[in-house]
Amino acid sequence: MGITQLPSHWAGPSSGRRSAFVSGGAYALVFLLGLAEGVVGSFQYSRAAVGPVPLAALGFCIVILVTCGLAGWAMRSTAGALLPALGWFIASFGLAMPNPGGSVIIASTSAGEWYLYGGSVCALAGIGTTFLTTIRHSGGRP
């Protein structure tokens, strides 16, 4: 006796809610990953440098590029790439703002500028790459 598949109407109404809950959880996780990358990068961007080249800042830029690209690819949506970038932007630029006492986390040094501006370009490149691949695979429909 073989195993038979249940009809789709037996799955019940909760199967659609369960799918939406899992998708929402995945999007929340990639947002939190981008937020965590922004917080860690904001405190560690100036750790390693070879002469005038801020290696740590460039490394964190590559990490957000890869995160946005892989999240968008894995979720097959531009929103999958947009959410880690949004988390990174909130954390990084929020920590770059001066507090009432006048101190900042991300200083106006070459490493700080490479981290903020390079990370922004890399995050946008990850979003753009995902956008172009989703358009190409959907036959021109976004």
Side-chain angles (χ1 to χ4, degrees), residues 22-128:
V22 170
S23 295
Y27 283 114
L29 282 176
V30 295
F31 173 77
L32 291 174
L33 177 63
L35 194 71
E37 287 177 5
V39 169
V40 170
S42 294
F43 286 101
Q44 303 296 324
Y45 71 92
S46 63
R47 283 282 180 184
V50 175
V53 180
L55 293 179
L58 295 175
F60 284 116
C61 293
I62 292 170
V63 167
I64 193 61
L65 171 70
V66 170
T67 300
C68 292
L70 287 179
W73 171 77
M75 295 187 169
R76 296 185 181 129
S77 72
T78 306
L82 183 64
L83 285 172
L86 183 64
W88 184 88
F89 276 108
I90 289 171
S92 296
F93 283 91
L95 289 171
M97 298 295 161
N99 65 18
S103 61
V104 293
I105 303 296
I106 301 175
S108 181
T109 61
S110 65
E113 290 175 359
W114 273 103
Y115 173 70
L116 285 176
Y117 301 134
S120 299
V121 168
C122 287
L124 292 175
I127 294 168

Side-chain angles (χ1 to χ4, degrees), residues 14 19 41 81 92 98 121 123 129 134:
S14 66
S19 175
S92 296
V121 168
T129 304
T134 53

Side-chain angles (χ1 to χ4, degrees), residues 5-13 15:
Q5 187 175 359
L6 295 174
S8 63
H9 66 276
W10 285 15
S15 66

